[in-house]
Amino acid sequence: MRLFLRYLKEKRTTLFLYMVTVLFFVSVGSLYHIENMEKLLYAALLTATVWLIVLAGEGFRYVKKSRQLEMAYHHFTHSGELLFPKDRSGQLQEAEGEIEAAQDYDMAQQAFLALVCEAQEKEKQQWEEKNAERGDYYLMWTHQIKTPILAIKLLLDKPGLQEKDLFLLREKLLQVEQYAEMVLTFQRLESISADLVLQSYSLCDLLKQAVRKYSLSFINKSLHLDLPDMERQILTDEKWFVFCLEQLLSNSIKYTVKGGISFRSREEGERVYLVMEDTGIGIRPEDLPRIFEKGFTGYNGRLEKKSTGIGLYLCRQIFTHLNVTVRAESSQGQGTAITLGIPSARRSPKS
């Protein structure tokens, strides 16, 4: 009824002119042919009937087109698809909004086209930003991967490799593997939600899996490790969570010259809190709030000249999908502590 009334409103000028024409016709006829007044009124009634039939037919077609436009509008707002299959059109319900408030069909059509153009412009802008982001990262990654590859080549050229050189060689190969994993993770980050498999895991087992990968780095730098047995069950995705642990561990090892890395945990309510603490060089207070930003290397990264500023950024993005909170505390020259708040697989009873 709303659309049909809108149709009549659009045709109000035509209807008004018709009524004025009939009025003139009857008025003039009544002045000159008074005896034929009934015939004139009958003719006016016939023409009115024909007009009403035509008006009703056009109105039904107008209502049908308007409903199709509104359904396409609502489908586009919900799914971003311009066209939709016929079997789904019946599932779309009319709702109040800008297109329903349109005064005529042209205005409704313009509202829909404006929405489509705005969405396409926004999508184009997002695509350009992501494309530029990928380009920057792959360029940086290309330069970063050259360092361990060059080191491997130099080690392989040395005659009579010693055990220490073999350790260094394995460590450089580990760096290549780490960089390769980072670029693959960066590529898969947009579709991470479809790849998550949340299950109950032993926190201690996942930590051992990450530590085992960097055992050579601990040996080469003579760092100690304090990893007590933790009977904690967490709800997470093994692949993505271990990747983040490896990134955090790699950072700690990189900036720890002497001493070591220790882990401890506690369980509070529905979360398990894991604290990873090192005895490294620490982080400057002004850099601490920005260490999880994309591309931010800070003072330590500029000293190291090998930091990409991507590892911690990836961790923050992945932790968000895993519902894991992350907090960093540090004192310059005294080390850094990273605290993770992980969903517990054993929910505590509500008090």
Side-chain angles (χ1 to χ4, degrees):
M1 180 58 69
R2 171 180 58 85
L3 295 175
F4 195 81
L5 291 176
R6 191 177 75 180
Y7 168 73
L8 293 178
K9 187 176 180 181
E10 283 189 42
K11 298 296 183 181
R12 61 184 181 275
T13 302
T14 303
L15 293 174
F16 176 75
L17 290 176
Y18 168 74
M19 297 300 296
V20 170
T21 302
V22 171
L23 181 62
F24 284 162
F25 180 70
V26 172
S27 299
V28 173
S30 62
L31 290 175
Y32 293 95
H33 305 282
I34 300 177
E35 65 280 2
N36 295 326
M37 190 64 184
E38 292 182 358
K39 296 180 180 180
L40 292 175
L41 292 176
Y42 181 70
L45 180 61
L46 288 178
T47 56
T49 303
V50 173
W51 271 75
L52 287 175
I53 293 174
V54 173
L55 195 67
E58 291 294 327
F60 285 125
R61 282 192 289 271
Y62 177 90
V63 169
K64 183 179 179 180
K65 289 193 303 181
S66 298
R67 284 178 177 170
Q68 289 175 346
L69 180 64
E70 289 188 0
M71 289 195 304
Y73 179 92
H74 292 307
H75 184 73
F76 185 80
T77 57
H78 286 95
S79 66
E81 299 174 0
L82 183 58
L83 301 176
F84 54 92
K86 295 181 179 179
D87 57 346
R88 293 182 58 187
S89 62
Q91 301 174 3
L92 301 174
Q93 298 179 354
E94 294 184 10
E96 295 181 0
E98 181 180 1
I99 195 166
E100 285 84 354
Q103 298 298 316
D104 52 46
Y105 183 82
D106 291 337
M107 187 180 295
Q109 190 176 42
Q110 289 175 7
F112 180 45
L113 293 176
L115 175 70
V116 173
C117 292
E118 181 183 356
Q120 288 181 341
E121 186 65 28
K122 186 176 181 180
E123 184 178 353
K124 179 182 176 182
Q125 183 179 356
Q126 290 176 345
W127 182 86
E128 290 176 349
E129 291 176 356
K130 290 179 180 179
N131 193 44
E133 185 178 271
R134 289 193 191 97
D136 293 341
Y137 175 71
Y138 293 144
L139 180 63
M140 178 180 60
W141 182 86
T142 303
H143 289 291
Q144 292 293 332
I145 201 68
K146 290 179 180 179
T147 303
I149 291 177
L150 180 60
I152 291 171
K153 287 181 178 179
L154 293 174
L155 287 171
L156 290 174
D157 289 339
K158 290 182 64 175
L161 288 176
Q162 299 179 356
E163 186 176 355
K164 183 179 180 181
D165 293 329
L166 289 173
F167 270 110
L168 289 173
L169 185 60
R170 293 192 183 98
E171 190 173 21
K172 295 303 178 183
L173 286 173
L174 179 62
Q175 289 181 12
V176 174
E177 181 184 354
Q178 182 185 5
Y179 285 134
E181 286 181 357
M182 286 179 64
V183 74
L184 288 174
T185 301
F186 190 83
Q187 287 179 317
R188 293 195 297 255
L189 193 59
E190 293 182 6
S191 58
I192 181 176
S193 298
D195 190 47
L196 290 179
V197 180
L198 299 179
Q199 294 180 1
S200 175
Y201 292 98
S202 167
L203 176 59
C204 192
D205 289 345
L206 298 183
L207 285 172
K208 289 178 180 178
Q209 185 177 334
V211 168
R212 194 178 301 115
K213 183 174 181 177
Y214 290 95
S215 57
L216 287 175
S217 299
F218 277 96
I219 295 172
N220 287 339
K221 301 189 73 171
S222 301
L223 301 177
H224 70 76
L225 173 67
D226 182 13
L227 178 57
D229 289 332
M230 304 175 187
E231 295 183 0
R232 311 290 189 192
Q233 291 295 124
I234 60 173
L235 184 65
T236 191
D237 179 278
E238 179 182 13
K239 179 180 69 176
W240 292 99
F241 186 74
V242 171
F243 171 84
C244 292
L245 288 179
E246 291 172 354
Q247 292 300 314
L248 296 175
L249 194 58
S250 173
N251 264 30
S252 291
I253 294 173
K254 183 189 302 182
Y255 297 111
T256 302
V257 180
K258 61 179 180 179
I261 300 173
S262 61
F263 294 90
R264 64 180 186 273
S265 68
R266 68 182 188 278
E267 192 162 357
E268 294 181 6
E270 297 184 354
R271 286 191 178 272
V272 173
Y273 290 92
L274 172 68
V275 181
M276 184 178 72
E277 191 169 7
D278 62 51
T279 57
I281 61 177
I283 305 171
R284 284 189 170 189
E286 60 269 26
D287 290 342
L288 194 59
R290 301 186 59 194
I291 61 173
F292 292 101
E293 294 181 9
K294 181 175 69 70
F296 182 77
T297 58
Y299 177 77
N300 294 342
R302 288 187 289 273
L303 285 179
E304 180 72 17
K305 296 182 181 179
K306 296 179 182 179
S307 178
T308 62
I310 293 295
L312 292 181
Y313 164 76
L314 291 176
C315 288
R316 168 60 66 86
Q317 300 301 313
I318 294 170
F319 281 149
T320 299
H321 286 86
L322 294 177
N323 191 23
V324 174
T325 61
V326 56
R327 185 178 74 254
E329 298 174 293
S330 182
S331 298
Q332 197 169 2
Q334 298 182 15
T336 302
I338 303 291
T339 303
L340 304 180
I342 315 161
S344 173
R346 295 182 294 192
R347 295 177 178 269
S348 59
K350 296 182 180 179
S351 55

